Amino acid sequence: MDPGKCKTNNGKLLINSFKRMNRNQETEVLNQLKTIIDPDLGKDIVTCGFIKELKIDDAGHVSFTVELTTPACPIKEKFKTDCEKVVSSLSWVQTVNVNMSAAPRKSPLEVQSPGLQSVSNLLAVSSCKGGVGKSTLAINLAFSLAQTGAKIGIFDADIYGPSLPTIVQPQNTDLYQQDELIQPLDYHGVKLMSFGFIPKGPGSGAAIMRGPMVTQVINQLLTGTDWGELDYLVIDMPPGTGDIQLTLTQLIPLTAAIIVTTPQDLSFVDVVKGIQMFDKLKVPTVAVIENMSYFICSQCNVKHYPFGQGALAKLIEQYGFKNAFKIPIQTDISKLSDAGTPIVLEKPESTIARSIHTISGAVVREISKIKHGGLKRPQINFSGDQGFVITLPEGKKETLSPIILRQNCRCAVCIEEQTGKPLLDPETIPADIYPTGIRPMGNYAVAITWSDGHSSSIYPYDTLTELVDISCKETP
Ligand code: ADP
C-alpha cells in the first residue's frame, strides 16, 4: 500500500471524526443554552438568535457571543452568568468565554433624514401639563440608560420652555454644522440638542411662532441634527396634548412613549388624554410615572401624600399598566437639576437614582418586547387604475380613491386648528389628483404628497382602514 495515500486517508478520517465531534459538542452547547429563556420574549436565547460566533477548540475551550436586542438590557449580567453556568456544566468543557454584545443599531423605519439614520429607538417623554417634572425625569432616564453602556441622545422638543440647557450644562455650548447637519452638544457622552442652545437674534424666539411653525422648527432641529449611532434618543416633548403634540407624534417616528404625571385626580384625566393621543398613532405608552407622588418627612420619617393618592392605582386598573412608577418629592432632585447635574450622575447610589434605573430598565424591556413581537403595518401603493391599494397585515387588499384621501387630510392647512372646521374646499381638489410620494411616517402612519402641490398629509393606518370602510358603505 502507498504509505503516503494511507496517511492522507487516515488524516481525512481524523479530520472528519474531529468535525463530527465538534458538531456534536456544538449541539450540546446549544442544547444547554436553550434552557435559558428570555423572560420578555418568552423564547430561549438560541431560538431568539442571540448566540453568535460559537467556537469550540479541541481542548474544550468554548467561546461565543450573546447578541442582545439592546446594550441597555437590564438583565445582561444574569444572561452572562447563566450562560457560563449551563455550558461549564458539560463534562468536556474546560473554559467558557461569553462575550456580551448588542445587535447593530439601525433606524426602525425608512427615515428620510440622514441625521436619524442610525438611531434605533425614539422614546418620547410626555406630560399633559407643565411643571410635573417631565424634563427632569426625561433627562435622568436618558443618563440612566447611558450608564448601562447604551449610546444616548436627548432632544428637547419644548420650544416654549426648553429645560435641557438648565438641567444639563455642558462646558462647550458652541454649535456648528458639518455636512449640512448640526453637531449636537455632548455631556458625559450623551448627545444633546435643544432650541435653547441655538443663539437667537431679535424677533426669532419661540414666542412669535404659531403652532404649525413650531412643529416645523422642532422637526427641522430634530432631523437636521447629526445624532450618529444611538440606541435611544429620548425626546422631551412639549407639555400638552394639543395640535403641536399630535403633529409631532405624527412627524417623529416614535418607538414608544412614557407619560409623566402628578397624583391629583385632574392629572388622571390628563394622562388618559395623553395615552389616547399616542394611541391614535399607535405609539405604545410603555410606562407612566407619577412624580411628586409623596414625600418622606425628615423629622418623623412618615410618608405624606400632599396631592392625594389612588390615581396611579386607577390607571393600572383601567389600562392594565405593568410599568407604573412613583417618584417622591425630594429636594435633591430640584437642587441638582437647578445646578446643572442630573441626580443619576451626581448621586448614582441614591434611592431616587436607583428608582430611575428601575424605570429605565423596565422601559428597555418593554420596548424590546414590542419590537421583537413584530410590528404589523399595512402596505400602501398607488396604481393609476385602482387608486390606493392597501394591503392589510393579514394579506387582504382594499382600495381607496385618492380624492377621498385628499379630502380627509387633517393637517393645519386643511383644518382650522382651534375649531376643527375644514379650511379646504373639496370642490378645488382636481378630479385626477394622484400621490407624488408615499412614505411611512412614525410607526403607524403614512405621509402622502400630492399632485396639487400639497405636501403635509399624514394618515394613521387606522384612519385609512376607517376611510376604506366608509367608502365601501357609500359605494353601492
Ligand atoms: P416639566 O418639564 O414638567 O415642566 P420640570 O422637569 O422642569 O417640569 O420640573 C419642574 C420643577 O420641579 C423643577 O424645578 C424640578 O427641579 C422640580 N422637580 C421635578 N421633580 C421633582 C421631584 N420629584 N422632587 C422635587 N422637585 C422636583
Side-chain angles (χ1 to χ4, degrees):
M1 187 189 286
D2 180 350
K5 207 172 173 186
C6 180
K7 239 183 176 174
T8 320
N9 278 345
N10 274 345
K12 268 189 186 164
L13 276 175
L14 217 64
I15 290 164
N16 281 343
S17 80
F18 262 136
K19 274 190 183 158
R20 235 192 335 270
M21 199 169 82
N22 219 284
R23 222 171 287 139
N24 285 343
Q25 288 176 325
E26 209 174 282
T27 311
E28 282 183 38
V29 168
L30 291 175
N31 281 341
Q32 285 299 99
L33 292 172
K34 275 186 185 169
T35 62
I36 303 172
I37 307 293
D38 183 313
D40 297 323
L41 307 183
K43 286 187 274 188
D44 70 80
I45 59 172
V46 178
T47 309
C48 286
F50 292 172
I51 307 301
K52 304 269 152 95
E53 294 161 359
L54 173 58
K55 288 186 194 116
I56 303 168
D57 74 7
D58 302 342
H61 299 296
V62 182
S63 71
F64 55 91
T65 296
V66 180
E67 191 181 273
L68 299 173
T69 53
T70 165
C73 174
I75 49 170
K76 67 179 166 202
E77 278 312 307
K78 180 164 177 358
F79 274 135
K80 188 169 194 260
T81 44
D82 285 355
C83 286
E84 285 163 352
K85 200 166 130 197
V86 294
V87 176
S88 58
S89 73
L90 291 167
S91 60
W92 53 266
V93 170
Q94 296 303 313
T95 60
V96 185
N97 180 17
V98 184
N99 170 37
M100 300 305 287
S101 82
R105 299 169 184 97
K106 62 176 183 333
S107 169
L109 294 164
E110 304 148 42
V111 173
Q112 302 287 307
S113 112
L116 285 172
Q117 213 82 80
S118 304
V119 176
S120 298
N121 299 286
L122 290 99
L123 182 59
V125 180
S126 172
S127 71
C128 303
K129 278 199 301 256
V132 300
K134 166 185 57 64
S135 303
T136 309
L137 291 177
I139 293 163
N140 275 287
L141 283 168
F143 281 96
S144 156
L145 287 169
Q147 284 169 346
T148 66
K151 289 201 168 161
I152 304 296
I154 307 173
F155 179 65
D156 178 2
D158 192 349
I159 281 224
Y160 292 119
S163 306
L164 192 60
T166 309
I167 303 177
V168 180
Q169 293 168 14
Q171 268 190 339
N172 184 1
T173 54
D174 294 337
L175 291 174
Y176 65 95
Q177 269 198 354
Q178 199 174 308
D179 299 330
E180 298 189 3
L181 289 173
I182 310 170
Q183 299 304 304
L185 300 181
D186 180 286
Y187 190 70
H188 289 257
V190 171
K191 293 180 175 168
L192 315 169
M193 183 50 72
S194 165
F195 188 65
F197 290 134
I198 309 274
K200 283 169 261 320
S204 62
I208 55 151
M209 290 187 212
R210 278 185 60 241
M213 248 173 109
V214 170
T215 47
Q216 235 175 28
V217 168
I218 298 173
N219 196 39
Q220 260 176 22
L221 197 56
L222 171 72
T223 55
T225 296
D226 185 7
W227 294 105
E229 284 206 340
L230 291 185
D231 294 299
Y232 300 91
L233 177 57
V234 176
I235 301 184
D236 182 6
M237 296 283 284
T241 48
D243 283 334
I244 292 178
Q245 292 76 10
L246 188 63
T247 311
L248 271 184
T249 311
Q250 289 175 328
L251 287 173
I252 302 172
L254 293 174
T255 314
I258 298 173
I259 294 182
V260 180
T261 181
T262 46
Q264 297 92 322
D265 243 355
L266 201 67
S267 304
F268 172 78
V269 178
D270 289 342
V271 173
V272 173
K273 269 198 225 156
I275 296 167
Q276 282 168 347
M277 177 183 82
F278 287 116
D279 256 10
K280 238 183 230 174
L281 289 148
K282 294 240 167 36
V283 174
T285 301
V286 289
V288 175
I289 309 174
E290 186 180 86
N291 191 25
M292 311 192 196
S293 195
Y294 58 89
F295 73 90
I296 299 175
C297 171
S298 57
Q299 305 292 312
C300 61
N301 223 19
V302 168
K303 254 187 197 179
H304 295 275
Y305 296 88
F307 305 123
Q309 47 177 326
L312 196 65
K314 206 156 91 182
L315 265 177
I316 297 169
E317 196 183 289
Q318 293 189 5
Y319 284 81
F321 271 110
K322 276 181 243 93
N323 298 315
F325 303 92
K326 291 181 177 185
I327 295 284
I329 299 172
Q330 247 242 18
T331 44
D332 264 356
I333 299 180
S334 48
K335 254 197 273 171
L336 289 168
S337 290
D338 291 347
T341 330
I343 191 165
V344 293
L345 282 184
E346 194 63 24
K347 295 194 170 183
E349 293 309 319
S350 62
T351 318
I352 296 289
R354 281 208 295 270
S355 300
I356 289 170
H357 292 317
T358 305
I359 301 173
S360 66
V363 166
V364 159
R365 292 176 72 166
E366 199 64 23
I367 289 178
S368 172
K369 266 195 255 179
I370 291 165
K371 286 181 79 167
H372 299 279
L375 181 65
K376 295 189 174 77
R377 294 186 291 163
Q379 291 290 315
I380 293 118
N381 295 301
F382 181 76
S383 106
D385 308 334
Q386 295 172 281
F388 286 98
V389 179
I390 301 164
T391 311
L392 300 172
E394 64 272 22
K396 197 174 155 202
K397 284 187 194 302
E398 302 279 9
T399 55
L400 193 57
S401 111
I403 294 215
I404 291 189
L405 212 49
R406 177 67 187 89
Q407 276 172 355
N408 281 280
C409 176
R410 310 285 303 166
C411 82
V413 175
C414 299
I415 296 283
E416 162 94 55
E417 262 183 81
Q418 309 297 328
T419 61
K421 228 176 68 193
L423 295 171
L424 170 75
D425 176 1
E427 299 296 316
T428 61
I429 302 174
D432 60 349
I433 192 159
Y434 61 91
T436 52
I438 305 172
R439 65 192 164 97
M441 179 59 72
N443 284 342
Y444 300 96
V446 62
I448 296 177
T449 49
W450 295 100
S451 56
D452 64 352
H454 189 65
S455 64
S456 48
S457 297
I458 298 168
Y459 303 92
Y461 296 129
D462 277 356
T463 304
L464 293 184
T465 40
E466 274 165 28
L467 289 172
V468 165
D469 287 347
I470 294 167
S471 65
C472 284
K473 276 182 203 140
E474 281 174 359
T475 317

